[in-house]
Amino acid sequence: MSSFSYKNGKIISDTPCPHCNKQSTYEEVYSENDYVKEKTLVWDDLGVYLPYQIDFSIYRCEFCGHFRILGERIRQGYENRTVFEYPMSGFPDLEREKINNQIVLENLDEGMRCLIANAPKGAIVNFRRALQAAVLVLGGKGSDLCSQIDDLYKKEIIRGKTKEIAHKVRAFGNLGAHPYEIKFDDGESFNELTLDDAVQAAKMLLLFLEDAFIFTSGLDEVDKRLDGLNA
């Protein structure tokens, strides 16, 4: 997640804008501070830490004009930590109309909401559901997701690298959805799934969707254009 710093009167993020992907500077358009006391957010006009402070800010990218919302937990004597960011940086825009499947997109969106809410296990499970829905839409056959992915590759619907990406998303999803099937003596633990794991699963899922749906759609458009030129 991002953090913002001030330099020469400018607000600078350590990540590019999620809308235009530019390493832009920002203008703060809104900020509000809340204080936590006995696990409850309360307002305190003294500005003390009870025991910590939550800062909510809205920033506007000076390059494209879009907004980012950031929540930070601040404690005296401790490193500040981002607890909420919307939209998250580092994820490419997806041409959703080319996927055109409600189940795939709903699970993708639910996973992203879990990611924003710092719920990595929920995010990973939903990403796996989105992956399996996409694999079935593409015509994958088999008794389980593993064999369905391999079937797509055998039919040359997806490429070798795309198959590897799908299996990685599936592996993360298995850790999230089937914790009791994990061999704990191998050093893996259901509780060890982190937000970084969920971010990696999200990025790989988006790569899979891009390659399986958008890339092939682009090839179809090129084929139609070539057929027209050769007519």
Side-chain angles (χ1 to χ4, degrees):
M1 286 190 173
S2 306
S3 63
F4 288 79
S5 60
Y6 294 82
K7 185 176 181 180
N8 298 326
K10 294 288 186 179
I11 302 170
I12 303 171
S13 171
D14 60 355
T15 59
C17 173
H19 296 283
C20 66
N21 205 36
K22 302 288 186 181
Q23 197 69 41
S24 176
T25 53
Y26 291 82
E27 171 195 6
E28 184 178 86
V29 296
Y30 180 80
S31 182
E32 180 177 324
N33 299 328
D34 288 306
Y35 302 91
V36 175
K37 182 179 182 181
E38 297 177 354
K39 299 183 180 179
T40 303
L41 282 172
V42 298
W43 182 76
D44 188 313
D45 57 359
L46 298 178
V48 295
Y49 292 74
L50 301 166
Y52 56 85
Q53 172 183 340
I54 300 291
D55 281 2
F56 297 96
S57 302
I58 300 176
Y59 300 95
R60 180 190 287 115
C61 172
E62 293 188 342
F63 188 87
C64 70
H66 281 87
F67 297 97
R68 296 172 78 173
I69 304 172
L70 195 75
E72 290 184 291
R73 187 179 71 181
I74 300 173
R75 295 181 66 185
Q76 283 183 323
Y78 294 86
E79 182 179 354
N80 299 343
R81 187 167 76 89
T82 300
V83 293
F84 171 86
E85 181 184 357
Y86 182 82
M88 295 186 72
S89 180
F91 296 98
D93 290 333
L94 193 67
E95 296 181 66
R96 299 167 68 92
E97 67 279 0
K98 290 187 178 179
I99 295 175
N100 194 29
N101 183 273
Q102 186 176 0
I103 298 175
V104 175
L105 295 174
E106 281 182 353
N107 282 282
L108 171 63
D109 291 343
E110 182 69 16
M112 294 304 292
R113 285 192 289 269
C114 289
L115 199 61
I116 291 166
N118 197 15
K121 298 182 184 71
I124 286 170
V125 169
N126 279 284
F127 294 148
R128 185 192 188 280
R129 288 168 59 89
L131 171 68
Q132 186 147 27
V135 169
L136 293 174
V137 167
L138 291 166
K141 304 295 183 183
S143 59
D144 54 28
L145 181 55
C146 181
S147 58
Q148 291 161 4
I149 292 170
D150 289 342
D151 182 57
L152 288 181
Y153 174 66
K154 290 174 185 176
K155 294 175 178 176
E156 298 185 351
I157 296 174
I158 60 174
R159 297 178 288 178
K161 285 295 182 182
T162 311
K163 180 188 78 167
E164 293 175 18
I165 289 170
H167 278 306
K168 292 181 191 303
V169 177
R170 178 185 63 83
F172 272 121
N174 286 345
L175 292 176
H178 307 296
Y180 297 109
E181 296 180 9
I182 298 172
K183 297 179 181 179
F184 287 94
D185 54 358
D186 288 341
E188 293 286 359
S189 169
F190 181 53
N191 293 323
E192 289 177 2
L193 286 175
T194 67
L195 196 62
D196 286 340
D197 294 330
V199 168
Q200 290 303 315
K203 290 182 177 179
M204 287 187 293
L205 174 61
L206 290 171
L207 283 173
F208 173 83
L209 295 175
E210 176 78 26
D211 200 54
F213 288 90
I214 287 84
F215 176 73
T216 53
S217 175
L219 287 180
D220 290 341
E221 291 173 3
V222 171
D223 288 340
K224 290 178 183 177
R225 173 61 177 159
L226 289 173
D227 289 342
L229 292 172
N230 292 325

